[in-house]
Amino acid sequence: MTMNFAPGDLVRARGREWVALPSPREGVLALRPLSGAEKDIVVLDPVLELLPVEPARFDLPANAAATVQAKAALLADAMRLTLRRGAGPFRSSAQLAFEPRTYQLVPLLMALRLATPRLLIADDVGIGKTIEAGLILRELMDRGEVDAFSVLCPPHLVEQWVGELKARFGVDAVPVTSGTASRLERGLPLAQTLFEAYPFTVVSLDYIKAEKRREGFARACPDFVIVDEAHACVGTHQGRQQRFELLSGLSLNPERRMILLTATPHSGDEEAFARLLSLIDSSFASMNFEKARYRERLARHFVQRRRIDLTSGDWDEDRAFPKHETKEFAYRLSEGHRGFQEAVIDYCFNIVSRAASGQRERRLAFWGTLALMRCVGSSPAAAVSALRNRMSNESDRLEPQIYDDDGDDEDAVDLEPGTTFDADPELLALVRRAQDLVDKPDPKLAALIDALTPLIKKGANPVIFCRYLATAEHVRDGLRKAFPKLLIEAITGILTPDERRDRVADMAPVDEQKQVQRILVATDCLSEGINLQQLFDAVVHYDLSWNPTRHQQREGRVDRFGQPAELVRSIMMFSPDSAIDGAVLEVILRKAEEIRKATGVTVPLPDERGPVTDALMASMMLRRGVPRQLTLDLCLDDGVNVMEARWRDASENEKRSRARFAQNAMKPQEVAPEWEKVRTLLGSPADARLFVERAMARFGVPLETRKNVLLAHVDDLDAGLRERLAEHELTGSVRLAMAEPAPSGTALLTRTHPLTATLAEALVEASLDPEALSGLGIGRVGAWPTTAVQQVTRLAVLRIRFKLTVHARKERLLLAEEAVLVAIQNGQIVAAGDAAREWINTPATSDLAPVARDRFIAKAKEDLPSLLEGPIAEFVHLRAEELMADHARLRAASGSAPRVTVEAVLPPDVIGLFVLMPGEA
């Protein structure tokens, strides 16, 4: 006879107990081991089993082993830390490998309050948009609302996303790029798409936007999508237009959840901003947000915080970020270097004056001049490369390279551009002068060494950003001579993204006993994509970027959430002797800095670069004393005036944007209490640390405290535990951080850390199975006298199962679990949670004689059935009602949020039962 089992029922099959899950189809059972994880789920047909599948109960066995107070407390903590399917409104909290800051929960709450979450998260660089999007994803996965997802991002961010999802959220996603797609598709059935075979994907936008792939992806795309760097999908450039067509097609499905991420949502470009907002709701593209009712509607979908918003006022998240100290470092050019720069400028101006007749010829001469100027100002090595190279047919790439607008289809270009000028004796003479300077002392490099020396003495680990490949190699070689004891590497565009990532990883200390200071020299290929805050804490702008947002991106690699140093320093180098540096500072960087101080935001250059070019040329001509008539002939004054107006417009637009769209509606007090409930129930990092300390000591391998980290010598553990930990790549001495931000080479010790999870699972197994780790003596019953109570008290470690029904578009039944410690006096529950935990953690005042201990335990077991039917059942029902109220309160918004009902599964599992007597009973 085949029995019907409902989700949540306990069954016995194949010699062990299981929990029945929602069945994938009629006639089969989906079962999870009672103490197992999702990876242990089996699907079986009861008809094919050798032994019948029977209903089961998880009763406290008659021969349960007795234990002492310290081991009983360890069991209670282990039980709490093993659970991964919390019943509260934040179901994902049990799966996180980090402690989110309160402000990072705001987008999650916003998403939960929407029937179909669509958000634009526009927080500043370094605040943690990846974490905020990941929290939403993980929460919806754990609610059963997301079965598949795709993260769409620029190609250089794919591996970073894969790593973040795995390390922080425990989600294994596959990268889909031009290099991996064919391998993933190999061997799939013809009728199955890559996205059906791999439900969790991180996809390169530039791979998937191609017309031949775009339509197929639109058909197979999951209904949850995260788009990183979303602002790069709404411009008029051909690549951006393709991206926009892809995303707008995806957004047409009203059921698709979309989370868009960008640090630069507006930047004064109303048309681009409207296109971005249209991906959330097509009606937003034409709304007048000067009207309050429209702003209120948008505020449900749009969150934008600056760093200053979070480190002042209500949030007070000061320690979430390091302090940032910025300074300028001026240096003098030698006579030879200054003379060379001036000779190149004069040569270029002669070319410009001869090209003054034709508009296209003049503009090309301007671009060639500025491109060459950038190389000359960078280093003699870059100048030699530029002067020797010829530009052939790539002149249309000059302008974007000058202003660090590297294409949508590639990361930052660091090859030196060639000149557009015909070879002549004067140009060849400049090449010889540049080559001669390469072999002479470089005043700019000497200034860098002077700037770095005090930083190095303070223990800093700086990143030096250069514009060109030749400069980076020149700087690396010079620094290796100046600081021979330091680890110094260079990363440039000649390395693939994987090679860059590996080179950064190789600079991490292998042995904390042998800490080595490090310097990284990098071009702007590293200004996006790879986060450097774990290894570096200072940034030097060796070459001025001609786009102010590039400076922000460089510093954002180091100055961001998770930086363990309390102070980050940044230095901007320039020479007052250089007409090139002077022009860039006057026309671009000083203006952008004024706007940043006024608005808190770094604005990019105006999209139309003609006026910028004219203003730079005019500024350099003025500094070189070029006759005024040439400036007038070239109409450069117009560019200067237009640039002044553009900067004023950018500042006013940014102020208006911030006034209209600042997200201040949600306060910390609306977010923190709900999260604190979860921490209390599941165990905070402090609870995890206390448990690991006690467990390692119980296994005979106490933790070692070393400065601000803990060392767990896992190779000294029992062989079975060593094998389990080795599966998680934990061997030798594991370095654990006690608080965030975690120092380099460590991981925060949380409930999900493999060491915590493995120890907790092992201890629970040892209590449930007498043959598992039998030497530990982790029993399930006990009795002892203690000062914690004034009368006989029974403590029960309970595992409670709940059925959560989400009444949404597609109704879902979820199973959840909680571990609860309750204290019972005179047949009534008098304490639960932390209060009861305090009692079990109070040391016993003495040992009871075995006969007395066994008498107290026997009486407690005798009374247990009536307690399970009476006060414990009532407690479990009340807990279900509390959970339902928590869900309702968190998700209540417009009335469209799905309703969640919570039903308790009775009786709860009694994992442990302990008797406490007052004093010296």
Side-chain angles (χ1 to χ4, degrees):
M1 182 180 79
T2 302
M3 300 195 64
N4 293 320
F5 296 103
D9 287 350
L10 288 186
V11 303
R12 182 167 182 81
R14 300 181 181 179
R16 65 188 299 187
E17 282 73 36
W18 308 75
V19 179
L21 305 178
S23 175
R25 64 181 185 274
E26 190 174 348
V28 301
L29 291 175
L31 304 176
R32 188 191 70 235
L34 197 53
S35 297
E38 271 69 11
K39 62 182 175 60
D40 302 317
I41 291 173
V42 300
V43 177
L44 58 84
D45 185 340
V47 176
L48 301 179
E49 294 297 302
L50 294 176
L51 296 175
V53 180
E54 300 174 331
R57 282 178 59 95
F58 191 87
D59 293 322
L60 194 64
N63 64 343
T67 194
V68 297
Q69 174 271 325
K71 295 179 181 180
L74 204 54
L75 174 60
D77 287 342
M79 194 66 228
R80 176 167 65 155
L81 292 168
T82 56
L83 298 185
R84 293 288 180 269
R85 293 166 290 275
F90 287 115
R91 297 206 71 210
S92 60
S93 55
Q95 305 283 1
L96 306 180
F98 67 102
E99 277 288 287
R101 307 297 296 199
T102 305
Y103 74 84
Q104 291 172 332
L105 299 173
V106 168
L108 172 57
L109 265 73
M110 293 172 65
L112 294 181
R113 290 177 172 181
L114 294 169
T116 302
R118 285 203 178 183
L119 294 182
L120 174 57
I121 303 175
D123 289 340
D124 272 355
V125 171
I127 281 179
K129 292 183 291 295
T130 302
I131 288 174
E132 292 168 342
L135 281 168
I136 297 169
L137 169 62
R138 181 77 244 193
E139 181 64 31
L140 295 183
M141 287 177 65
D142 291 330
R143 289 168 178 268
E145 297 179 34
V146 167
D147 298 318
F149 70 82
S150 285
V151 176
L152 305 180
C153 63
H156 61 276
L157 295 179
V158 169
E159 288 300 330
Q160 180 176 312
W161 264 100
V162 170
E164 288 280 300
L165 289 172
K166 174 64 175 176
R168 292 188 181 273
F169 303 99
V171 177
D172 287 303
V174 298
V176 180
T177 65
S178 56
T180 66
S182 58
R183 173 176 56 81
L184 293 172
E185 289 173 335
R186 197 175 300 133
L188 293 181
L190 289 176
Q192 188 179 38
T193 70
L194 184 156
F195 297 97
E196 290 168 337
Y198 301 97
F200 303 159
T201 54
V202 179
V203 186
S204 163
L205 269 166
D206 293 331
Y207 168 76
I208 211 67
K209 75 184 182 188
E211 189 172 347
K212 62 181 179 181
R213 302 186 188 98
R214 194 162 66 227
E215 293 182 9
F217 178 67
R219 289 191 298 270
C221 179
D223 69 353
F224 186 92
V225 174
I226 295 172
V227 183
D228 200 4
E229 303 291 341
H231 61 276
C233 302
V234 294
T236 55
H237 180 281
Q238 181 183 359
R240 294 191 174 198
Q241 184 62 33
Q242 287 178 317
R243 294 177 183 181
F244 181 72
E245 288 175 7
L246 168 67
L247 297 182
S248 58
L250 297 180
S251 70
L252 292 177
N253 180 353
E255 303 293 306
R256 179 166 282 121
R257 282 73 59 88
M258 298 182 71
I259 309 297
L260 311 180
L261 310 178
T262 174
T264 52
H266 192 277
S267 305
D269 188 337
E270 295 285 353
E271 183 180 349
F273 186 53
R275 284 160 69 88
L276 191 59
L277 292 181
S278 73
L279 298 174
I280 297 173
D281 186 326
S282 59
S283 66
F284 285 161
S286 56
M287 280 187 184
N288 177 9
F289 291 112
E290 298 294 336
K291 296 182 178 180
R293 70 177 185 274
Y294 293 141
R295 290 200 303 274
E296 289 170 5
R297 184 175 160 192
L298 177 62
R300 296 175 58 202
H301 301 268
F302 182 47
V303 56
Q304 183 176 27
R305 281 86 53 91
R306 301 169 299 171
R307 176 84 64 89
I308 195 172
D309 296 330
L310 304 175
T311 55
S312 61
D314 291 336
W315 292 99
D316 192 24
E317 291 281 3
D318 225 26
R319 191 53 197 108
F321 309 102
K323 303 293 183 186
H324 193 155
E325 178 185 282
T326 63
K327 68 181 236 182
E328 296 179 351
F329 194 92
Y331 63 92
R332 312 302 306 202
L333 291 174
S334 68
E335 186 174 338
H337 284 77
R338 181 175 181 171
F340 171 66
Q341 283 198 17
E342 291 174 350
V344 171
I345 292 173
D346 292 342
Y347 172 78
C348 289
F349 286 163
N350 287 334
I351 298 290
V352 168
S353 64
R354 292 199 297 270
S357 56
Q359 178 93 14
R360 172 171 169 73
E361 290 78 8
R362 186 176 71 194
R363 185 59 60 189
L364 192 59
F366 281 6
W367 291 344
T369 293
L370 293 176
L372 182 55
M373 297 295 186
R374 290 213 66 179
C375 295
V376 168
S378 179
S379 70
V384 168
S385 180
L387 288 165
R388 283 179 170 171
N389 292 343
R390 306 304 303 154
M391 275 303 293
S392 67
N393 294 322
E394 296 184 33
S395 57
D396 60 328
R397 283 289 300 139
L398 266 180
E399 187 186 37
Q401 287 187 32
I402 293 166
Y403 296 113
D404 297 339
D405 286 344
D406 302 302
D408 293 314
D409 302 329
E410 57 192 330
D411 58 13
V413 176
D414 53 15
L415 286 173
E416 302 76 20
T419 66
T420 57
F421 312 137
D422 295 330
D424 59 33
E426 194 174 352
L427 185 65
L428 296 176
L430 290 174
V431 174
R432 288 193 294 273
R433 285 184 70 174
Q435 185 62 60
D436 185 49
L437 288 175
V438 169
D439 301 322
K440 291 184 176 179
D442 182 353
K444 186 175 180 181
L445 179 59
L448 173 65
I449 293 168
D450 290 343
L452 288 178
T453 300
L455 284 184
I456 299 301
K457 288 181 179 178
K458 293 174 183 175
N461 295 284
V463 184
I464 318 300
F465 276 106
C466 307
R467 182 61 183 90
Y468 295 112
L469 191 155
T471 303
E473 294 177 343
H474 165 67
V475 169
R476 176 202 60 200
D477 295 344
L479 292 181
R480 283 178 173 171
K481 292 178 183 176
F483 303 105
K485 295 182 179 180
L486 273 59
L487 175 61
I488 299 172
E489 295 288 356
I491 293 180
T492 65
I494 62 173
L495 300 177
T496 67
D498 286 344
E499 290 171 334
R500 297 171 205 169
R501 198 173 301 278
D502 290 344
R503 185 162 294 183
V504 170
D506 289 343
M507 297 186 77
V510 177
D511 182 356
E512 72 140 353
Q513 298 281 357
K514 299 178 181 178
Q515 286 280 14
V516 177
Q517 272 185 279
R518 62 194 79 87
I519 299 176
L520 177 62
V521 181
T523 62
D524 285 318
C525 72
L526 217 61
S527 64
E528 294 182 273
I530 299 179
N531 295 334
L532 304 173
Q533 74 271 24
Q534 287 295 317
L535 295 177
F536 301 95
D537 51 24
V539 170
V540 178
H541 303 284
Y542 187 77
D543 289 332
L544 299 178
S545 173
W546 288 21
N547 192 334
T549 54
R550 182 70 80 190
H551 276 207
Q552 182 189 31
Q553 290 165 342
R554 291 171 173 179
E555 293 174 6
R557 295 305 94 208
V558 170
D559 181 14
R560 61 192 301 110
F561 177 77
Q563 168 60 255
E566 295 189 8
L567 175 66
V568 165
R569 300 173 176 90
S570 60
I571 297 174
M572 184 173 75
M573 295 181 60
F574 71 95
S575 175
D577 300 333
S578 168
I580 303 164
D581 285 358
V584 173
L585 285 169
E586 176 191 39
V587 174
I588 299 174
L589 298 180
R590 298 273 189 244
K591 301 295 185 184
E593 180 61 14
E594 289 174 13
I595 297 174
R596 191 195 65 78
K597 287 180 177 177
T599 67
V601 175
T602 301
V603 295
L605 283 173
D607 282 342
E608 187 185 346
R609 297 299 158 78
V612 190
T613 302
D614 294 347
L616 284 170
M617 292 294 295
S619 179
M620 276 190 274
M621 286 181 171
L622 182 63
R623 281 173 165 73
R624 285 296 297 135
V626 174
R628 173 77 174 161
Q629 186 58 45
L630 180 59
T631 306
L632 294 174
D633 291 345
L634 298 174
C635 302
L636 297 183
D637 278 359
D638 292 344
V640 175
N641 296 331
V642 169
M643 271 303 296
E644 288 289 338
R646 293 286 163 81
W647 283 125
R648 283 196 302 272
D649 290 346
S651 180
E652 291 305 314
N653 284 338
E654 194 55 53
K655 288 177 183 176
R656 276 200 306 274
S657 171
R658 287 290 167 171
R660 282 189 295 178
F661 304 121
Q663 175 55 268
N664 296 312
M666 195 168 287
K667 303 297 182 185
Q669 55 268 27
E670 297 180 54
V671 181
E674 299 296 341
W675 188 259
E676 195 56 40
K677 280 186 184 179
V678 173
R679 282 166 49 100
T680 302
L681 191 69
L682 296 172
S684 66
D687 296 321
R689 175 187 172 180
L690 183 61
F691 166 76
V692 171
E693 285 178 336
R694 289 175 174 175
M696 291 292 287
R698 184 58 58 189
F699 284 115
V701 189
L703 293 180
E704 180 185 346
T705 303
R706 179 120 10 119
K707 292 184 179 179
N708 59 341
V709 301
L710 298 172
L711 292 183
H713 304 293
V714 298
D715 281 356
D716 295 333
L717 288 168
D718 171 89
L721 283 172
R722 285 203 308 271
E723 289 177 11
R724 292 192 193 188
L725 292 168
E727 292 175 6
H728 299 285
E729 299 181 355
L730 295 184
T731 58
S733 295
V734 178
R735 301 177 70 232
L736 306 165
M738 295 177 276
E740 285 191 305
S744 171
T746 71
L748 181 66
L749 184 57
T750 63
R751 70 189 314 277
T752 61
H753 189 282
L755 181 60
T756 311
T758 302
L759 291 176
E761 289 165 5
L763 287 168
V764 171
E765 286 178 23
S767 71
L768 301 180
D769 180 0
E771 296 181 6
L773 300 171
S774 56
L776 284 179
I778 304 292
R780 294 173 61 184
V781 294
W784 59 84
T786 174
T787 58
V789 299
Q790 301 303 311
Q791 58 181 295
V792 175
T793 303
R794 288 154 182 180
L795 294 178
V797 181
L798 304 175
R799 176 170 52 199
I800 309 172
R801 287 185 298 283
F802 300 96
K803 297 180 184 180
L804 274 63
T805 304
V806 182
H807 305 274
R809 295 170 295 176
K810 179 182 177 184
E811 188 170 287
R812 290 179 179 269
L813 177 64
L814 308 173
L815 292 184
E817 294 175 348
E818 285 186 356
V820 180
L821 184 65
V822 297
I824 305 160
Q825 293 175 352
N826 298 322
Q828 298 296 321
I829 293 179
V830 295
D834 282 349
R837 204 169 299 281
E838 188 175 332
W839 292 354
I840 201 172
N841 283 327
T842 302
T845 55
S846 64
D847 290 330
L848 286 179
V851 63
R853 179 198 64 193
D854 293 344
R855 188 172 66 249
F856 282 114
I857 292 172
K859 177 59 175 169
K861 285 183 177 179
E862 181 183 328
D863 295 341
L864 183 58
S866 62
L867 293 175
L868 285 171
E869 293 177 4
I872 290 178
E874 183 181 352
F875 172 83
V876 172
H877 281 302
L878 288 174
R879 180 64 188 140
E881 291 176 10
E882 287 177 12
L883 288 167
M884 199 145 50
D886 288 346
H887 281 276
R889 183 173 59 257
L890 192 65
R891 301 192 68 144
S894 61
S896 60
R899 184 170 58 91
V900 178
T901 55
V902 183
E903 177 189 350
V905 178
L906 292 173
D909 302 335
V910 180
I911 305 299
L913 182 63
F914 309 104
V915 184
L916 280 57
M917 284 80 64
E920 297 288 338

